[in-house]
Amino acid sequence: LLPGGHLMLAAGGRTPSRGVALIINKRHRKKLKGWRAVSERFLWADLAWKGRTCRILVVYMPTMGHPEDEVDLLYEQITAAVQGKDAVFILGDFNAVIGRREAMDGMLWHGGFSLEEERNARGRKLATWTSSMDFILANTLFMKEAHRTATHVRGRFARVIDYIMVKRARWVKIVDCEVEDDFAINSDHRLLACTLIIAGSSSQQSPQSLRRMQRKENKKTLKHWKPVNEDQYCEEVEWLSLIHI
């Protein structure tokens, strides 16, 4: 237990290049149903939430200096942990630059917004896994200023390599995702925060009321967004309709 009664689940951490942790607020400690440290780079925890079992994964992918075999093994372990689960949230440093949405990406997993233009090799691997496993990169859903987007800053260089990923489901709504740049964590990585609305498993909302709620949230998302042209506006409106299905 941490000071204040909060619970920390951790694995590794004996060296700076390895180690993951998840802190559960003391109000939600009793919701923990189980957890497992798969390795020094990956752990998962199951929490009971509104009649559902939500699985949270914390991941620390190897840096570019490590062999690809290590990266592939970690993706295999993550895949095994999320298969058959419909309430999954992945948090972590993927050491991958996803860049802007590319022509072949479609509109279901990448929101279109990113700090970088180009995608690197690790980013392509992350893109393939994310789209095939039906996850959404929450970072890419909202247009933010650079200081609210960059998750890793070293000197003059800023990039996005940390992500929050959400399994696509009708009962999960991603309201916001941005960097909290005024929160000091003594690291060149910066705190990434995501706001979600999770409906209970016994929700009696009709399809019509869900669609009304989706349209309302879509309008909020587009309120401060200025499209480059009409085609981009139509594309984003279509994507916003799909992303909440």
Side-chain angles (χ1 to χ4, degrees):
L1 288 180
L2 297 174
H6 307 300
L7 177 64
M8 183 171 76
L9 312 176
R14 289 185 290 273
T15 63
S17 61
R18 297 174 185 269
V20 289
L22 175 66
I23 298 176
I24 301 174
N25 189 284
K26 62 182 179 181
R27 294 177 298 170
H28 305 304
R29 275 170 39 194
K30 293 183 178 179
K31 294 183 174 68
L32 180 65
K33 299 179 67 176
W35 74 287
R36 181 186 175 194
V38 179
S39 72
E40 290 184 310
R41 294 190 177 276
F42 168 43
L43 68 77
W44 59 257
D46 286 342
L47 279 78
W49 193 267
K50 294 186 177 181
R52 304 181 188 278
T53 298
C54 297
R55 175 158 291 187
I56 301 174
L57 286 71
V58 184
V59 178
Y60 182 11
M61 279 288 177
T63 60
M64 297 297 289
H66 290 254
E68 286 301 304
D69 288 348
E70 288 187 32
V71 179
D72 293 338
L73 174 60
L74 195 45
Y75 271 113
E76 290 174 8
Q77 293 171 334
I78 296 170
T79 300
V82 304
Q83 282 181 335
K85 308 292 181 182
D86 64 349
V88 186
F89 309 92
I90 304 177
L91 328 169
D93 175 3
F94 279 81
N95 278 304
V97 175
I98 204 71
R100 298 293 177 91
R101 189 168 62 208
E102 297 181 353
M104 300 299 292
D105 286 342
M107 298 193 299
L108 292 181
W109 67 271
H110 193 311
F113 301 116
S114 183
L115 191 65
E116 302 90 353
E117 293 289 339
E118 301 296 327
R119 183 172 299 173
N120 66 9
R122 290 283 180 84
R124 288 190 288 274
K125 184 168 290 190
L126 175 60
T128 299
W129 188 90
T130 304
S131 59
S132 66
M133 298 301 292
D134 206 20
F135 277 80
I136 302 167
L137 289 177
N139 305 43
T140 67
L141 301 186
F142 307 95
M143 185 172 69
K144 303 284 185 177
E145 296 177 348
H147 71 282
R148 293 289 188 184
T149 304
T151 67
H152 181 252
V153 179
R154 182 173 292 173
R156 295 179 299 168
F157 299 98
R159 55 184 182 162
V160 180
I161 58 175
D162 307 89
Y163 300 93
I164 294 178
M165 303 163 65
V166 180
K167 182 75 172 179
R168 200 166 73 93
R170 178 180 294 276
W171 45 268
V172 176
K173 184 173 293 294
I174 304 169
V175 177
D176 195 16
C177 188
E178 67 177 13
V179 166
E180 298 288 347
D181 63 345
D182 55 352
F183 193 92
I185 56 176
N186 192 29
S187 170
D188 51 4
H189 288 263
R190 304 162 81 218
L191 181 67
L192 182 63
C194 184
T195 304
L196 304 168
I197 296 176
I198 303 175
S201 61
S202 59
S203 175
Q204 299 299 312
Q205 287 179 298
S206 66
Q208 291 81 7
S209 65
L210 283 171
R211 282 194 292 270
R212 284 195 297 271
M213 183 174 68
Q214 289 163 10
R215 285 195 294 269
K216 185 177 180 181
E217 290 298 328
N218 291 350
K219 288 179 181 177
K220 289 180 182 178
T221 303
L222 289 170
K223 183 177 180 181
H224 303 293
W225 177 71
K226 297 179 180 179
V228 175
N229 52 49
E230 184 177 352
D231 289 339
Q232 185 184 4
Y233 176 83
C234 293
E235 178 183 328
E236 293 302 326
V237 170
E238 179 186 1
W239 171 79
L240 282 165
S241 298
L242 288 170
I243 210 71
H244 294 303
I245 291 176

